[in-house]
Amino acid sequence: DVYKRQESCYTPGGTGAIRNAISAYTIPGDKILTSDWHWSPYRLIAQELGRTVCCYTLFDETGKFHAASFEAALSAILAVQEETLIIVNTPAPNPTGYTFTDEDWNALLTAVLKYPDKKIALLVDIAYLDFAGDGKTNRAFLKKLNGLPEHILPLIAFSASKGYTMYGMRCGAILCMTPSSAIAEEFKDVMRVESRASWSNGNRAATVSYTHLRAHETSAHLV
């Protein structure tokens, strides 16, 4: 593990994580990228913040990840702006249920790495991670985000609302993965401002419940 720092920030569900990522890592007028099959609030959140969602075609004619479409759409965005945010919803996302394979991730990262002079935030929406089958297998992709150059910032949108079946309590987090202590500190500072300027403080009942559940899981694992 090459990461010197990993930081996180409470959000009201995975939706709050998506909101913070769009607000913090793009500017008004920017285009962000996701697949044509996507959760419709992505577009609503972007519009509310003055951004535009652009889409690549998720599936090719064989039903596999359309790497060429992704690369073309990313190239078109970065031809006119210096940064962007990419949203990848996996595993088992809403609305397709499709989980990115190792080959899909390799193709996506190969395309992203072609732009060393651009800043790219890569947000992975893992809201359905714990409903997608084997947990260990579905977390394996995280290793692919390990050791990426500093101009690429992997972000994770986590939903405790779904994973811990407490949907109405609205609990989640946004996490950053970076080898840079400076970038991690910047993330923490920016998220503090983003949160305070939108929902202000976290749901105490939800966060306390989550903390107790995690402590119980850890104790059970040690036993």
Side-chain angles (χ1 to χ4, degrees):
D1 186 354
V2 303
Y3 290 114
K4 297 177 182 176
R5 295 289 298 274
Q6 297 183 34
E7 293 289 350
S8 63
C9 174
Y10 163 87
T11 61
T15 304
I18 295 160
R19 182 263 170 212
N20 268 15
I22 293 174
S23 179
Y25 291 101
T26 60
I27 60 175
D30 270 358
K31 299 176 181 179
I32 65 176
L33 181 62
T34 193
S35 61
D36 52 351
W37 287 82
H38 62 265
W39 189 48
S40 59
Y42 291 168
R43 189 176 297 275
L44 294 175
I45 295 167
Q47 289 174 346
E48 179 71 14
L49 294 170
R51 281 71 162 170
T52 301
V53 169
C54 295
C55 297
Y56 65 91
T57 302
L58 179 58
F59 299 118
D60 63 18
E61 62 279 2
T62 68
K64 296 181 179 180
F65 173 65
H66 203 321
S69 179
F70 172 82
E71 185 167 354
L74 180 61
S75 176
I77 290 174
L78 293 180
V80 296
Q81 60 191 56
E82 296 304 310
E83 77 292 304
T84 194
L85 172 76
I86 301 168
I87 304 177
V88 178
N89 193 192
T90 190
N94 175 9
T96 66
Y98 179 76
T99 297
F100 272 45
T101 66
D102 281 351
E103 291 74 18
D104 297 342
W105 274 111
N106 291 342
L108 183 147
L109 292 173
T110 296
V112 169
L113 287 167
K114 291 182 179 181
Y115 300 93
D117 58 334
K118 305 288 186 176
K119 292 184 177 180
I120 299 173
L122 178 58
L123 177 67
V124 188
D125 181 354
I126 62 168
Y128 290 91
L129 177 70
D130 292 313
F131 300 91
D134 181 71
K136 184 176 181 180
T137 299
N138 287 329
R139 287 167 169 77
F141 78 89
L142 292 168
K143 295 179 180 179
K144 294 185 179 296
L145 306 181
N146 192 355
L148 292 174
E150 290 186 8
H151 69 281
I152 301 172
L153 180 62
L155 302 170
I156 306 295
F158 165 68
S159 174
S161 302
K162 292 185 177 67
Y164 286 82
T165 62
M166 51 182 182
Y167 193 80
M169 296 180 75
R170 308 309 301 147
C171 184
I174 182 169
L175 302 90
C176 81
M177 302 168 62
T178 175
S180 167
S181 295
I183 292 174
E185 282 297 319
E186 179 184 62
F187 167 87
K188 188 166 63 174
D189 291 341
V190 169
M191 288 300 130
R192 184 182 295 116
V193 173
E194 291 286 347
S195 299
R196 186 62 173 165
S198 51
W199 52 77
S200 185
N201 294 310
N203 182 330
R204 179 171 174 78
T207 53
V208 168
S209 298
Y210 174 72
T211 300
H212 285 317
L213 287 167
R214 287 293 298 150
H216 177 73
E217 287 179 348
T218 302
S219 298
H221 177 71
L222 291 175
V223 171

